[in-house]
Amino acid sequence: PFNEKAGYNIDLTIDSELQAKAEKLFTDFEGSIVALDPRSGGILAMVSNPPFDPNLFAAGIRPESWRALSQNPLHPLENRAIRGQYPPGSLFKIVMAFAALEEKIIRPEETIYCNGHFPFGNRVFRDWKPGGHGPINLVQSLAQSCDVYYYTMGSHLKLERIAKYARMFGLGKPTQFSFREKPGLVPSDAWKRRRFKEKWYPGETISVSIGQGFNLVTPLQAANLIATVANGGTLWKPYIVRRVWRADQKPIYEHQAEPLNRIPIGADTFAKVRHGLWEVVNGPRGTATKAAIPGVAVAGKTATAQVVHLKI
């Protein structure tokens, strides 16, 4: 006979209904979904697709099952949420907006005329919208995701200041949720010299300004960036275990929310950027109006990016 012993009970932050919905949404897709509680960093849902069946490992995985998993080109054993590194695309415009306002590159109400292209050096950088957006201010630059606005901001900010604000919001380093996380990448001149034995060129900063180029983020970092904007400036350490207690209800562990950084940016600046993200969903020219929910204040940022394979 076995000497039975009661195990511990664990209370997770996962919202079971939200997790189920996220998994259903990704049934036919490869990628990741992460949802965080912006008040504490609690992980409400986390999906990495395609998944794998952990029961295969319970009694020692069979060789043919291991080969099928390890040789699958979609890499189901990799948790995309913490190890997938992707260009942030226009999500990075949030960081750029904070940097431009705080460094006084532009005033919130000041407009830039977007005609659809931005000459820089011997190149012309194109906006996603042929013909451009016309005169556009900070709020509408986020709502309409105007590339030319952020090309212009990047040309004034330069790489070092852009990198400063990206790191401030937790990019370029693990969130500390898991020791297996990958850090993403906030590029710098020093990094490029180490990696490619080349200096940084000013034109590369223009691409970085809209989240292209060498920029890389994990889905968890991206979610934490949005959560930090939502809560007004606290970058929380994400977590998933809320409480552990014994069968007799005696607590063993209770999570205490851990701030990784308090963003040293004023409430007025946060209000301007948050207004822009609200316009993304609710404004007449927003790029995500289909995400609006009557009676619920929804805000966000659309982002697409060209994916280039880069080993770092």
Side-chain angles (χ1 to χ4, degrees):
F2 292 101
N3 183 16
E4 293 185 1
K5 183 178 179 180
Y8 294 150
N9 298 303
I10 299 178
D11 180 16
L12 301 180
T13 60
I14 294 292
D15 181 307
S16 60
E17 292 185 6
L18 185 62
Q19 178 71 23
K21 179 66 174 178
E23 291 177 5
K24 185 177 180 180
L25 286 171
F26 259 47
T27 300
D28 299 320
F29 300 97
E30 295 84 43
S32 176
I33 291 178
V34 178
L36 296 176
D37 184 340
R39 300 166 297 183
S40 65
I43 296 173
L44 303 175
M46 179 180 281
V47 173
S48 178
N49 214 52
F52 66 93
D53 182 2
N55 291 318
L56 293 172
F57 293 86
I61 190 167
R62 298 172 64 86
E64 58 270 25
S65 298
W66 172 251
R67 281 194 298 270
L69 286 173
S70 61
Q71 297 175 14
N72 188 323
L74 296 177
H75 306 291
L77 294 174
E78 284 286 293
N79 185 345
R80 284 169 159 80
I82 63 172
R83 293 181 60 80
Q85 300 181 113
Y86 311 101
S90 291
L91 182 73
F92 197 73
K93 291 170 182 174
I94 297 172
V95 173
M96 293 293 297
F98 279 110
L101 291 178
E102 285 296 293
E103 297 295 326
K104 302 190 184 328
I105 301 300
I106 198 166
R107 298 183 303 277
E109 67 279 2
E110 189 176 349
T111 61
I112 285 174
Y113 191 84
C114 169
N115 60 6
H117 60 271
F118 181 78
F120 188 87
N122 59 0
R123 280 194 61 184
V124 176
F125 292 83
R126 303 288 178 180
D127 194 278
W128 70 265
K129 183 178 181 180
H133 300 268
I136 198 159
N137 62 16
L138 179 104
V139 167
Q140 285 305 310
S141 75
L142 289 167
Q144 301 181 47
S145 203
C146 175
D147 293 331
V148 167
Y149 187 96
Y150 291 98
Y151 293 148
T152 306
M153 297 303 102
S155 69
H156 290 291
L157 282 164
K158 313 300 186 194
L159 181 65
E160 291 75 16
R161 288 195 285 185
I162 294 172
K164 168 188 167 183
Y165 284 86
R167 295 189 183 102
M168 189 183 296
F169 281 90
L171 305 185
K173 56 188 175 185
T175 69
Q176 301 182 32
F177 168 67
S178 167
F179 72 94
R180 288 185 52 78
E181 280 184 83
K182 288 190 175 180
L185 177 62
V186 173
S188 66
D189 177 71
W191 169 82
K192 193 184 177 198
R193 289 178 187 273
R194 287 194 308 270
R195 177 66 178 82
F196 295 106
K197 306 296 187 273
E198 290 182 358
K199 69 177 183 179
W200 187 267
Y201 294 100
E204 293 175 299
T205 303
I206 306 304
S207 294
V208 163
S209 300
I210 62 164
Q212 301 279 8
F214 295 116
N215 279 336
L216 293 173
V217 299
T218 67
L220 183 57
Q221 287 173 331
N224 220 13
L225 165 62
I226 288 290
T228 303
V229 178
N231 69 37
T234 301
L235 181 71
W236 294 109
K237 176 182 175 180
Y239 70 102
I240 201 167
V241 177
R242 179 182 285 116
R243 189 164 62 107
V244 180
W245 70 98
R246 299 191 322 197
D248 61 4
Q249 301 300 308
K250 184 176 180 179
I252 299 295
Y253 167 83
E254 188 150 0
H255 179 81
Q256 300 296 319
E258 299 178 53
L260 299 175
N261 192 19
R262 306 281 189 184
I263 310 297
I265 292 176
D268 288 347
T269 301
F270 267 95
K272 292 295 183 185
V273 174
R274 288 164 67 164
H275 184 196
L277 300 183
W278 184 89
E279 286 280 337
V280 170
V281 178
N282 303 282
R285 297 184 180 181
T287 55
T289 55
K290 290 182 179 179
I293 301 175
V296 179
V298 179
K301 183 72 191 77
T302 52
T304 55
Q306 296 175 354
V307 178
V308 179
H309 183 66
L310 173 65
K311 292 182 179 180
I312 60 171

